[in-house]
Amino acid sequence: MTTAFQIRPFEMEDEAAVVALWHDCGLLRPWNDPHKDIARKQTVQPGLFLVAMAQGLDGENVLVGTAMAGYDGHRGSVYYLAVAPGRQRLAIGRSLMERVEQQLVAMGCPKVHVLVRTANVQVMAFYEKLGYARDDALSLGKRLIPDL
């Protein structure tokens, strides 16, 4: 399989493919509406929502990866890093993270956080190879607007 791919900003025409990829990668949760997450991202720093495109078997471009990030002026965060199961270990995830980090640095961001669900142990080695380490912090959350 070819490893040639391009990274570009998300476009609304990508939405169905993005949601399908997140589903295939096990990133969706019943309490989060991915379409609402995408719509919200389009109103705040939409340039920090990236997709990776590669040539499919039929010669058409297919969406093979995503990364959604944000910067609040203090810290950056990365969400929805996903690479199509059949395209993992081809440097797509690494390249998406590098691009996000470059964009965050250009914005003056001094540190970035990646949230990983505790059950997703297999991805920890990936992030450790990229230089990420566990922080001595606990992430707490509170839903302010229900999606469903």
Side-chain angles (χ1 to χ4, degrees), residues 14-127:
D14 301 325
E15 184 172 6
V18 165
V19 173
L21 174 67
W22 292 348
H23 178 269
D24 292 346
C25 292
L27 297 182
L28 300 182
R29 295 295 181 263
W31 54 86
N32 278 19
D33 181 331
H35 300 283
K36 288 182 180 179
D37 285 347
I38 290 169
R40 289 177 184 125
K41 185 62 191 162
Q42 292 309 289
T43 67
V44 180
Q45 300 172 330
L48 288 176
F49 186 9
L50 304 175
V51 298
M53 305 295 293
Q55 193 172 47
L57 296 176
D58 59 2
E60 294 291 318
N61 274 342
V62 294
L63 191 137
V64 296
T66 64
M68 184 186 287
Y71 176 50
D72 64 10
H74 180 64
R75 295 285 185 258
S77 298
V78 180
Y79 311 89
Y80 286 122
L81 177 69
V83 175
R87 305 278 185 142
Q88 294 173 359
R89 301 188 191 280
L90 299 175
I92 296 168
R94 173 183 293 273
S95 296
L96 282 162
M97 288 300 293
E98 287 173 356
R99 180 74 64 86
V100 164
E101 290 172 3
Q102 291 166 359
Q103 288 182 242
L104 290 170
V105 167
M107 297 171 79
C109 179
K111 184 177 182 184
V112 64
H113 290 263
V114 178
L115 297 177
V116 178
R117 287 189 169 85
T118 54
N120 196 357
V121 273
Q122 69 273 14
V123 79
M124 291 305 296
F126 166 78
Y127 284 114

Side-chain angles (χ1 to χ4, degrees), residues 122-142:
Q122 69 273 14
V123 79
M124 291 305 296
F126 166 78
Y127 284 114
E128 288 169 358
K129 287 180 187 175
L130 297 182
Y132 287 80
R134 285 183 187 246
D135 282 340
D136 188 18
L138 178 63
S139 175
L140 302 176
K142 176 182 178 183

